[in-house]
Structure formats: structure tokens, C-alpha cells
Amino acid sequence: MSIIIESDLCTGCGQCLEVCLFDALELVGDKVAVKDGCNLCGACVAVCEYGALSLPEDETPALSRPSHGIWIFAEQRRGRLSPVALELLGEGRRLAEALKIPLAAVLLGHQVRDLVPELMAAGADTVYLVDHPSLAQFLEEPYAAALTALARLHPPEIILAGATYVGRAFIPRVAAVLDTGLTADCTAFDIDPEKNLLLQTRPAFGGNIMATILTPRSYPQMATVRPRVMKKLPPDNGRQGNIIEIDLADLSRPFRSRFLETVSEITETVPLGEAEVIVAGGRGLQEAKQFRLLEELADLLGGAVGATRAAVDAGWISYQHQIGQTGKTVAPKLYIACGISGAAQHLVGMQSSDYIIAINQDPQAPIFQIADLGLVGNVFDILPALIQQIKANR
Amino acid sequence: MKIIVCVKQVPETQDVRLDPVTHNLLREGVKSIINPFDLYALEEGLRIREQQGGTVTVLTMGPPQAEAALREALTYGADQGILLSDRAFAGADTWATAFTLAAAVRKLGGADVIFCGKQAIDGDTAQVGPELAAFLDIPQVAWARKLTFVGPERLQVERLLDHGYDLVEVQLPALITVVKEINEPRLPSFKAKLKAKAATIPVYSLSDLGLTENQVGLKGSFTRVVRVFPPPARGQREILQGAPEELAAALWGRLQQMHLR
Amino acid sequence: MDYLLTEEQTMLQELALQVAQERIKPVRAELDEKEIFPRDLMREMAQADLFGVIIPEEYGGLGLGCLESCLVLEAIGSACVGVGTTFAATFLGAYPYLLYGSEEQKNRYLPVLARGEQLAAFALTESQAGSDAGAIQTTAIRDGDSYVLNGTKQWITNAGEASIYTIIALTDRTKGPRGASAFIVEATDPGISFGKKEHKMGIRASATAEVILQDCRIPADRLIGKEGLGFIIALRTLDYARPGVGSLALGLAQGALEEAVLFARERQQFGQAIISFQAIQHMLANMATNLEAARALVYAVARYIDQKPREFSKEGAMAKLFPTDMAMQVTTDAVQVLGGHGYMREYPVEKMMRDAKILQIFEGTNQILRNIIGQALNKEYTKKR
């Protein structure tokens, strides 16, 4: 299945080759031809001035929409909700209103009923509660079994989950078994008003390009969502909702994996994810010991130290500090980027920060494109001067 | 012990950009490599083989050129490589990819352990491993950083979660996705390089796997890319140049405005 | 330059360069600074089959020749000559039994060396016997089915780290150099011990110490070849090893040249990159030209040795003399191109300059090598008359 080419109309101008993300077009003689790998994204159709390209007609019949609304997975651990659960309810509320359908939270765990009011206050119309000893600790098998069974019982139109380690570990199992698509790590959603479909946007190609993805021929439409990107609603304790508690017989079967113990908790002085100020360093710091400057400044500002993949790969600082596509996503009030060029892989992890200050020697560095305040200069000169100023003024 | 390692061939750098004005794709000539995370999966497979005996089979789906990734895997000491390649497989999303891989695993008679890297650096989805485990109906442990055999068919796995590390026990056959901390991948060996050069790489096509066109590739995929665009730039920016002391003073002023100390 | 390497040679070279770039380069400064013996790196190089290069296939090696070993040593030397020396010392230790050993000796020692499970060392030098190797005092006295060794070997690379030592000792004091014999001594043999690790100017990752033999009793079948062959074996071993030292020098100079060119392209003075100044260009041009000349010489000699000529002492000496003098000059010039930066430990070229010096000293000082070449010339013209 691929793009349809009207060879008579094709002038061989090559415009379409330039825009094909999948490198699926080639010129054969003076006409364009499709190779393997066409994803039907339609980018070429849009640029063809001669109308030589078109998308094949959608031959799948429209499915009827399931009736149980939008679900968000309310991730919790030991009776505490993960912040992403509330963020998903905030975003879910917006989407539910656009689609005029209800919003539900799915709460899986053991002895977690207390969390129901918090979910309702955060925007849930309904809470599906599965309370079972098998769900006391996270394991892929029982969690996937529970969510799959629920979705078969009360088919939803959309399922959103946090793109946390937990969410990304088990949600794909659910999508596989439900025969439906899943988009990873989304950073924005919208609704296609004609088809009432969820437009799922995520960074692609290492984060240098954003891609919008549809799940056009199956329900539920599923996505995991990057934490700290969506906004939660102010809690409304007056909100009312239904609680539907479900006893799944399936959970009493023996599972082939079992939880033994938590070996170690990640401890950070100020956890990166929760820091209001982050001072981050990149390749421009040149060596491990320069991170001490950053630590000193972060301490003075009550913040945490972050780093780019380049700095982590160079061994200057541990992976726990990595921010970006393959590290953490952060959204502090203030982000100070020191010696960071601004590779897209890093930007996706910090561009939701409220205020970004960048210090870099190269005025052309891409980091300046997204910085609110950019300082062109040497980090090793500017930071000590700043540290001195702060100390002098305390 | 029958060990299967799934790998993906990816472009070495992710430096694919869109021209912000024309939206044309700026593609730089980059070479293809094995997804770096998959090398940790392969290393773990090789270590388990050294401990427990058995064979390591490396599996990839891709165009004919993806054979190079398998040959590279052989230079590290894998026993065989198998390429899943067919025009019909093109354009697959994670569901269709995992579905195809599952058919290949079944054709190979299953495995005791399947290893995958935690995610691929081009797609960053981390979905194919768990989806493959679901299709094979085997348990899975994602984000493993340490494995210990506690019986012939039982593994204890230390794995990374959001709060720290959990220890879980899993019954084989199982699928494990690994993070970088799990090991230090070895270097190729010269003898294995010689062998890899001469090795035959079997290719499984759609019909070899007994699948139909509607189950694989773009047709078998449930997701569609409908639009691509460059990441949005931010609003009003202010760029200052000058002596370090002046810049530090400006910065200090801004921090004070923000009521940060 | 294309030296018309075979596909197999290119594969081996690429593998060794991968080891150098990915494993050695990131740690070389620390190994140097803290004088850490590169045990882990030796394990990795073994895993990559690099220890097997010169060992025949029937003993588990790759069965390759002098040129291949030179390609590997050049690659390793481009990252760190200290690591390269540690690695090369095993070749030096192995040549005696590889060339003159009994089938039993080969079977016992070559496979473990090929797998890199153990390291080897070669012990000739003593406190009074450096360039004058004939002045050694260590003795080996036959006693029934054993030999008993006494004496102290000085500045032995891998001493204390290696498991297998080739020791040159006198079995007959009255015969002078003709009374020397070569023995294999294992680190677990009774009576062998090691002095303290020396602190060196360069190649600080390598371990250098005394090997002390006090009534060290070994089975008589550890004698390599026959009694009295000791010096012939030692000199032949050095003939084979010298292009390897030259190769370490090639790698070292290549590394220094690259640092110098990259720095000169980046460094701005008087408003432009310093590489745009002719003074710098001429230095770099001389460095590159001498390096290439040395490489052509080393490869040519290595290929010649691989033809199994009867005599190649002169060529072997040339293949160490010229490249090591070249490496000293190139690394010194690299420091000069980097200027003050080059003198700082933050940059790798000062280490390279320190490492270069030993190459002119060990495995035959460059003065002794000139003697060898000069004497060979004299001999050749005597014959011709």
C-alpha cells in the first residue's frame, strides 16, 4: 500500500523527494516512483504542484465508537498517586469536552480506594476500581491482564497512560492484545473534528521533528503521555462521580512473574523532576570537574543539577541527571543551560520550563532559539562572577 | 538454553531536521548501526550463553540492507542471524513489527529467553519488546539492570522503575528488555569477524512466516503518521553579549526579578 | 596512503583501532596519572583475539605474521604506548619458545597466551648488563632433572604481572656470551620474586620491575633449544620485535600529529586559526612526511620479515631506529604546536612526548641499533669484495 502516482501529471521536479520523511520516493527516468517504506503520511501530496500524487481511498469502513469514553490510567504506588495521573485527568477533561464524552480514571492496586476522591476532584466522571492483592506491586502481567479485561468489559474510545517506566512497560501489552495502535510518549493532543479521532503528537526522529499520528481503524485509540507536559486542573473537591468497582476473576490465576522486594529507592538531594530551578551542563563544560560550578550555583538557588546526553555519555555526571529524549523530562520555573548547544534530543526534555536562560559561547547555538534570555559568553567566566554576586548579596 | 536477541538497524545519528521555512527534510548521509541499546541485549544473551550453554540467535526485521546489522551481531559472537524481510513488511508500526517478530519466534520453535534493548534510538517507543511478549503470551520484565538464574527456568531480575529498583522473579520462557547499566558490551573478536563475513543469513519472507499482507507492514499497522513539522520555537527572546561581569550582573538582576533569592 | 593491505589485514587493523578508540583512549590519562596496570584492557584485547596474532593456528592463535602484528601495535600505540608496551611485552616473551621451543613447550604456553589468559615477559637486562648484554651475571646450574637459577633481572616489562618469563642466564660462565641459555620460568615457581614497581617518566601504565631469582629451581625441560643458544635466541627475538617497537612509534606519532592538526585548526591567534600560518604548516608538513616515511619503512621491513629471510638484523634495527627517532621529534613538535596547552597535562601531547623517549632506549638503544646497522654494512661489503 502506498501513494498513488499519476505519471502523466508528474514533471519529475523532485519536490516530493525532498519532503519524504521515509526516503520512500525516487526518480526513475524523469518520473517519480515509490520504493518500499511509504507510510502514507501525505507529505508529498501536499507539495506536489501538479496534482500527480494522491492518497489511496480509505477502504476501511468507519467503526462505531465505543461508548465508555476516555480512560486515563491512574498510576499509583503504595497508595500515592503519581503526578502524571492528575495531569492526564486535566488533559483528558479537555478532550472529553471536545468529544462530548465522559472521562474515567482506571485505578489498579491493592487497598487504594482512598484515592478515588482525589481522582474525581481532578476531573474524573467515573473511577473504575480494581482492588486485588495481585496488583499490590507493579508487574506487567497482572496489570496488563486487568486493564485488558476492563477494556473488553466496558470498551473505551481512548486510553491514555503516563509514559513512565510503569506505563511504558505494560500498556504495549494491552494494545497488542486489544489489536489496536499505540503512540508512545506523546506531548500534545487534539481532536480531528470531522472524524472525531485523537490526533497524537510526539517527537520523532530523535526529537528533531514532531509527528502527528492517528489510530484510524481501531478502538481504543491508545497513547502514553510524557509526564509534566500536560497541566492538571485545580482540585475541585465538590465534584461528584461514579465509582465502579470490578472484581476480575482473571486476577486470581497464578502469574508467571512475582514481585520480591524493592532493592533501592532513587535518592537525589532535590529530585530533578521536582526541582523549581535546574542548572544544567552540556558538552561545553569540557570535563567532569566543571560540574562543581553548576552544583555550587544550584545549591545557592535551591535547585538541582541536570545534564545533556553528551555530558552523561562523556562520563562527567551520572545518568540520573540526564535530561532529554532519553533522560528525564523536566519543567522547572527556571532552567539555566550552561554550555549546552541545544540538540533537539535535549530540548524535548526541558522546553516546557517556564523560563530558560542559556549561556553559550556560540551565538548560533540552537539553544538560543528557545531561550528567553541568552548570554553569549564563556560559562567559566560568567558563572563564577554570578556565584560571587549571589554570595555578596545574601 | 535457546536465546533470541531482537535488534534494529538505525541511522547512526538522529540528525534529521526539517528546514523551518520550506519544511524540506534535511537528511545527512549517515551510516547505519545496530541500535546501541540492543548491543546490551546482545551482550546479556552472550553472557547467559557462556553461563548456561545454548545458542544465541539474532533477529531483525528490515530491508535487505539490515543484513549488515546481523553480520555485525555475529562479530560479537552470536551463533546465527535471521533477517525478516519482505516488501510487505515495509511501513510497519510497533504492533505490526512485534506481530511479525512473534511469527518468526514461533517458526524458530520459541525461545527460553528473548532479549530486547529498552528502546530504539530512532523511534524511542519501547513498545516492540512488550508487544512481542504479549503476542507470544510470555511474561516480560522491562528495564532490567541485573539478571540472576535461581533455577534452570527461573530468573531473578533487578529492574528500574520510576521509584528505584525492584527485584522480581520470572518463570521462563520470558522476554527481558535491558537498560545500559546491565553490562558493558564486549568488542568484536577477530575470529568472529572472519566467521561473520562468510556466514549465510537466512531471510524469512511473508510466506515463510505464514502471514498475510493484511497482518504486516503498513497494512497491518493500526497507527498512521498524518503530519510532520518542526518543533515550535518560543516567543520573544533576548540575547545579550558583553564582558562576563556585565552578563553575570544582568543574570543576577533577572534572578532577583524572579524572586529567586 | 594506501599500503595495499588485504581485506583480512584491514579487518584486523579496524578491530585494533576500535579497541584503541573505544577502550584505551578514554582511560589513558588516568592510567598514566595513577600508574594503573591495564589488566582490564588486556582482557578486552584478549577477547578480541589480538593476543593470538603471531601465534600459529594450531596453538589457538590467528597464525598471522609480522606485518599484522605491526598493524595491531600501531593501532594500540595511537591511543597509548604504555598499554601497547604491556601488550607487546607478551610477544617479546613468547618469541623465544615460538621460534626455538619444543613441541611440549609450545603446547603448554602458546594457547594460554593466544587466549590472553596469561601474560608473558622477556628478561635479559641486568644492572651491569644493558647495552652490554654479554655482561649478564645470572646463572643457571644444572642439578639432576632441574636447573637452579640465581640473579636479578632489571627493568623487566610486565614483571610481577606476567605468569610466564623468558630468562636469559649463563649455564657456562667460562664461555662468556656463548655460555648463555634461555629458560622459561613461571611466576609460581619457587624462588622467583619481584622488586618494587619502578616509577617512570612515561609509559606509566606499564609495569616495570626487577625479577629476582633466588635458588629458583625449574624442571630441566624449561630450557629453550639447547644450552649455549641463549644469546642467539635473545638477539633473534629482538630482531623480530623491533618492527613492533617501530609500529608503536608510528601510532604514537600519528596520535600526536592528529592532536596537533586539530588544535591548529581550532586555535585562534592574531584573528585567525594558527594553521593558516606557514610556520605551523611547515612543522605539520615535516611531521606528516617523516611519519609517512617511517611507516613505509616499517611496513616494508615487516613484509620482508614475513618472507622469512635468513638474516634481517639490519632491517629490523632500521625499522625501530628511524620511527622512534621520528616519534620523538613529532611528539616534541606536537607539544610546540599546542604551545602552553601542549605543556599542560589536560592535553594528551605531553604524555605522548614522555612516552616517546623510552622508544629510543628500550629493546636496543638507538645507538646500539646504529652499531648493528653499521656492522652489517661492513660485513656486507666485506663479502662483496
Side-chain angles (χ1 to χ4, degrees):
Chain A
M1 197 162 50
S2 56
I3 285 289
I4 297 165
I5 302 168
E6 291 282 341
S7 284
D8 296 349
L9 298 177
C10 177
T11 63
C13 71
Q15 279 279 357
C16 51
L17 272 61
E18 301 282 316
V19 299
C20 180
L21 272 178
F22 304 97
D23 197 17
L25 294 172
E26 61 184 340
L27 280 180
V28 178
D30 59 352
K31 301 287 181 194
V32 73
V34 198
K35 300 189 279 182
D36 290 347
C38 172
N39 246 35
L40 291 183
C41 72
C44 55
V45 177
V47 298
C48 182
E49 294 169 30
Y50 310 98
L53 300 172
S54 58
L55 284 166
E57 285 297 315
D58 195 355
E59 70 259 49
T60 46
L63 293 172
S64 60
R65 291 168 63 186
S67 50
H68 293 268
I70 301 177
W71 287 8
I72 68 100
F73 169 64
E75 184 175 336
Q76 59 82 30
R77 178 171 187 264
R78 296 188 177 167
R80 284 189 54 185
L81 282 174
S82 162
V84 75
L86 305 179
E87 295 161 20
L88 289 176
L89 283 170
E91 178 69 4
R93 196 69 257 157
R94 193 177 72 79
L95 297 171
E97 256 131 54
L99 284 166
K100 303 187 179 62
I101 56 175
L103 173 66
V106 175
L107 182 58
L108 308 180
H110 186 46
Q111 296 167 345
V112 289
R113 179 180 273 273
D114 293 353
L115 299 174
V116 171
E118 197 178 342
L119 293 170
M120 289 180 178
D125 300 316
T126 302
V127 175
Y128 292 96
L129 172 64
V130 185
D131 202 300
H132 194 281
S134 292
L135 302 172
Q137 299 285 349
F138 173 72
L139 281 170
E140 288 92 331
E141 271 191 290
Y143 268 67
L147 185 55
T148 307
L150 268 185
R152 283 186 170 145
L153 216 55
H154 305 277
E157 192 166 331
I158 292 171
I159 301 179
L160 303 179
T164 58
Y165 285 102
V166 164
R168 299 179 77 184
F170 89 98
I171 294 290
R173 288 189 76 112
V174 177
V177 174
L178 292 179
D179 287 346
T180 191
L182 172 62
T183 304
D185 217 11
C186 293
T187 53
F189 293 109
D190 230 319
I191 298 297
D192 177 335
E194 281 174 37
K195 298 179 185 157
N196 287 318
L197 288 177
L198 182 66
L199 294 160
Q200 309 151 36
T201 295
R202 72 180 300 257
F205 292 96
N208 293 313
I209 295 173
M210 306 300 290
T212 300
I213 292 161
L214 276 184
T215 310
R217 60 180 183 96
S218 59
Y219 287 110
Q221 306 163 79
M222 294 179 64
T224 59
V225 185
R226 175 164 296 206
R228 278 179 288 281
V229 172
M230 304 302 170
K231 299 278 177 248
K232 63 179 182 186
L233 299 170
D236 174 359
N237 293 320
R239 276 186 55 94
Q240 297 290 312
N242 309 316
I243 168 162
I244 302 177
E245 187 164 356
I246 294 169
D247 188 13
L248 292 170
D250 204 30
L251 288 177
S252 298
R253 72 177 158 107
F255 289 101
R256 296 161 293 188
S257 43
R258 67 193 176 97
F259 171 86
L260 298 177
E261 58 174 329
T262 289
V263 188
S264 63
E265 306 265 342
I266 292 171
T267 49
E268 297 168 69
T269 35
V270 181
L272 211 45
E274 279 151 48
E276 298 212 325
V277 178
I278 291 176
V279 185
R283 206 193 295 274
L285 287 194
Q286 289 166 11
E287 56 184 326
K289 65 175 187 234
Q290 304 294 3
F291 268 88
R292 283 198 215 120
L293 263 183
L294 269 53
E295 280 161 26
E296 191 177 356
L297 180 60
D299 276 353
L300 288 169
L301 299 175
V305 173
T308 64
R309 174 146 97 179
V312 172
D313 284 352
W316 300 339
I317 189 163
S318 74
Y319 175 72
Q320 308 290 16
H321 295 269
Q322 187 172 318
I323 293 168
Q325 179 80 10
T326 47
K328 294 194 169 75
T329 306
V330 296
K333 290 209 164 71
L334 172 64
Y335 193 93
I336 306 180
C338 306
I340 292 177
S341 64
Q345 119 92 256
H346 182 69
L347 301 186
V348 295
M350 46 65 79
Q351 60 197 359
S352 317
S353 306
D354 290 348
Y355 196 81
I356 297 172
I357 296 176
I359 307 173
N360 201 299
Q361 244 169 340
D362 174 10
Q364 304 304 321
I367 189 78
F368 289 127
Q369 300 293 319
I370 67 152
D372 298 279
L373 175 65
L375 306 179
V376 181
N378 188 331
V379 173
F380 308 128
D381 295 331
I382 296 171
L383 285 192
L386 176 65
I387 288 167
Q388 221 176 1
Q389 289 236 18
I390 297 174
K391 282 182 175 166
N393 284 288
R394 319 195 93 172
Chain B
M1 182 111 342
K2 236 173 119 181
I3 302 157
I4 290 182
V5 180
C6 298
V7 304
K8 181 178 186 185
Q9 191 179 47
V10 298
E12 184 170 31
T13 72
Q14 301 308 308
D15 246 1
V16 181
R17 291 168 189 284
L18 285 186
D19 184 309
V21 182
T22 63
H23 281 211
N24 281 356
L25 195 64
L26 308 173
R27 202 194 293 272
E28 277 146 41
V30 287
K31 69 171 195 183
S32 294
I33 55 166
I34 294 182
N35 173 42
F37 291 116
D38 299 345
L39 292 178
Y40 297 86
L42 175 58
E43 175 66 28
E44 204 55 26
L46 295 172
R47 288 185 188 198
I48 300 286
R49 181 187 68 186
E50 277 152 20
Q51 253 178 49
Q52 307 283 324
T55 56
V56 174
T57 300
V58 183
L59 205 55
T60 197
M61 184 179 102
Q65 310 84 279
E67 190 203 85
L70 295 173
R71 265 187 216 286
E72 192 189 332
L74 295 180
T75 70
Y76 295 97
D79 297 284
Q80 66 167 341
I82 290 172
L83 174 63
L84 314 183
S85 195
D86 194 303
R87 288 194 70 126
F89 297 159
D93 70 358
T94 63
W95 193 98
T97 303
F99 191 80
T100 312
L101 288 170
V105 172
R106 282 193 208 99
K107 184 180 163 72
L108 289 167
D112 295 303
V113 196
I114 301 176
F115 286 107
C116 298
K118 69 163 186 165
Q119 65 200 54
I121 58 167
D122 57 347
D124 279 321
T125 71
Q127 289 177 181
V128 171
E131 288 182 325
L132 172 58
F135 287 130
L136 294 171
D137 190 25
I138 58 174
Q140 144 221 341
V141 184
W143 329 112
R145 73 154 178 188
K146 192 176 169 198
L147 301 184
T148 321
F149 272 89
V150 289
E153 293 191 342
R154 279 193 321 176
L155 260 183
Q156 280 192 2
V157 186
E158 219 174 282
R159 62 104 150 253
L160 177 64
L161 287 179
D162 304 86
H163 62 267
Y165 295 92
D166 276 5
L167 185 66
V168 302
E169 191 172 293
V170 65
Q171 181 76 36
L172 300 188
L175 183 143
I176 313 286
T177 78
V178 306
V179 298
K180 276 167 106 173
E181 289 104 299
I182 195 163
N183 57 42
E184 171 86 25
R186 69 192 61 194
L187 290 163
S189 84
F190 187 69
K191 287 179 188 170
K193 278 180 93 151
L194 289 179
K195 255 193 243 164
K197 198 163 73 92
T200 350
I201 307 274
V203 181
Y204 291 179
S205 67
L206 183 69
S207 58
D208 292 331
L209 295 179
L211 301 176
T212 66
E213 282 201 16
N214 290 328
Q215 295 171 303
V216 300
L218 190 60
K219 277 193 180 173
S221 297
F222 288 102
T223 57
R224 285 276 185 284
V225 176
V226 290
R227 189 167 90 93
V228 291
F229 55 99
R234 287 164 75 104
Q236 358 152 329
R237 295 179 287 123
E238 194 179 346
I239 304 286
L240 304 179
Q241 309 207 10
E245 297 72 30
E246 293 166 25
L247 294 177
L251 190 48
W252 169 235
R254 203 60 54 100
L255 296 185
Q256 281 177 312
Q257 280 172 23
M258 296 176 73
H259 305 288
L260 281 162
R261 317 267 152 150
Chain C
M1 272 285 284
D2 183 352
Y3 285 97
L4 305 177
L5 300 178
T6 63
E7 194 181 347
E8 194 179 78
Q9 287 164 344
T10 308
M11 266 167 63
L12 182 67
Q13 187 181 42
E14 282 170 0
L15 178 60
L17 280 170
Q18 191 181 354
V19 175
Q21 287 297 319
E22 292 179 15
R23 304 294 158 112
I24 302 176
K25 215 171 159 186
V27 298
R28 66 181 175 191
E30 192 190 359
L31 296 180
D32 175 66
E33 186 79 25
K34 300 185 185 159
E35 302 193 338
I36 300 170
F37 185 76
R39 186 57 73 178
D40 293 347
L41 289 174
M42 292 303 123
R43 206 168 293 131
E44 300 218 45
M45 291 163 76
Q47 197 276 319
D49 296 332
L50 297 183
F51 274 95
V53 173
I54 57 159
I55 295 176
E57 286 179 278
E58 62 260 45
Y59 305 109
L62 300 177
L64 301 172
C66 185
L67 178 59
E68 287 84 0
S69 72
C70 285
L71 294 172
V72 171
L73 287 167
E74 181 184 358
I76 303 301
S78 73
C80 179
V81 172
V83 173
T85 299
T86 304
F87 174 65
T90 285
F91 290 178
L92 194 63
Y95 268 120
Y97 31 98
L98 183 65
L99 296 171
Y100 297 93
S102 65
E103 200 51 38
E104 291 73 37
Q105 288 169 343
K106 290 180 183 178
N107 277 321
R108 172 158 181 171
Y109 297 109
L110 295 180
V112 290
L113 294 180
R115 290 195 296 271
E117 286 166 10
Q118 298 184 348
L119 300 179
F122 177 77
L124 171 62
T125 301
E126 298 178 10
S127 62
Q128 301 306 318
S131 289
D132 181 10
I136 58 166
Q137 300 289 319
T138 298
T139 55
I141 308 298
R142 179 88 190 217
D143 179 20
D145 280 348
S146 359
Y147 282 95
V148 178
L149 279 68
N150 276 289
T152 299
K153 295 292 178 180
Q154 184 176 257
W155 299 333
I156 304 307
T157 302
N158 284 356
E161 301 289 349
S163 311
I164 308 160
Y165 296 80
T166 298
I167 307 278
I168 308 296
L170 297 173
T171 37
D172 187 346
R173 274 172 175 275
T174 62
K175 289 188 183 160
R178 295 215 172 122
S181 303
F183 296 92
I184 303 170
V185 178
E186 298 181 17
T188 50
D189 286 329
I192 183 170
S193 63
F194 307 98
K196 72 163 181 52
K197 198 169 155 179
E198 304 287 351
H199 297 294
K200 304 189 293 294
M201 174 188 195
I203 58 164
R204 287 154 55 100
S206 71
T208 310
E210 284 177 345
V211 176
I212 302 157
L213 302 156
Q214 270 180 315
D215 295 328
C216 173
R217 183 176 288 273
I218 55 170
D221 64 8
R222 301 276 194 80
L223 172 69
I224 302 173
K226 287 188 297 200
E227 280 193 20
L229 279 183
F231 270 107
I232 293 176
I233 292 173
L235 295 180
R236 201 60 175 177
T237 291
L238 292 169
D239 286 346
Y240 270 102
R242 280 180 184 133
V245 178
S247 302
L248 288 174
L250 297 179
L252 176 61
Q254 180 70 45
L257 174 66
E258 280 168 20
E259 294 292 337
V261 173
L262 291 174
F263 182 88
R265 286 169 50 81
E266 287 293 315
R267 173 70 170 168
Q268 300 273 328
Q269 288 288 275
F270 305 103
Q272 49 196 311
I274 62 170
I275 200 166
S276 60
F277 299 117
Q278 210 174 48
I280 300 290
Q281 284 180 13
H282 282 189
M283 280 178 86
L284 295 174
N286 286 339
M287 290 158 78
T289 306
N290 288 323
L291 168 57
E292 212 54 70
R295 184 177 282 131
L297 172 63
V298 171
Y299 288 10
V301 169
R303 284 181 159 131
Y304 177 58
I305 292 174
D306 283 334
Q307 302 309 309
K308 312 249 182 285
R310 219 173 58 78
E311 178 56 47
F312 56 88
S313 294
K314 181 184 76 177
E315 292 78 8
M318 288 173 165
K320 188 217 158 199
L321 170 65
F322 186 73
T324 56
D325 280 351
M326 176 280 296
M328 192 70 245
Q329 188 62 48
V330 166
T331 53
T332 307
D333 288 347
V335 170
Q336 191 68 23
V337 169
L338 270 76
H341 298 86
Y343 200 70
M344 300 300 150
R345 289 210 175 174
E346 255 180 274
Y347 288 82
V349 289
E350 63 82 29
K351 169 188 182 292
M352 292 173 171
M353 183 174 161
R354 285 187 284 111
D355 287 352
K357 193 66 215 173
I358 191 62
L359 299 176
Q360 295 177 303
I361 299 172
F362 69 10
E363 298 195 27
T365 63
N366 284 7
Q367 287 66 33
I368 287 293
L369 298 182
R370 287 182 173 89
N371 291 355
I372 293 173
I373 297 165
Q375 285 156 11
L377 286 171
N378 194 16
K379 215 158 115 187
E380 281 171 25
Y381 282 85
T382 309
K383 279 186 208 157
K384 278 183 189 170
R385 234 158 238 228

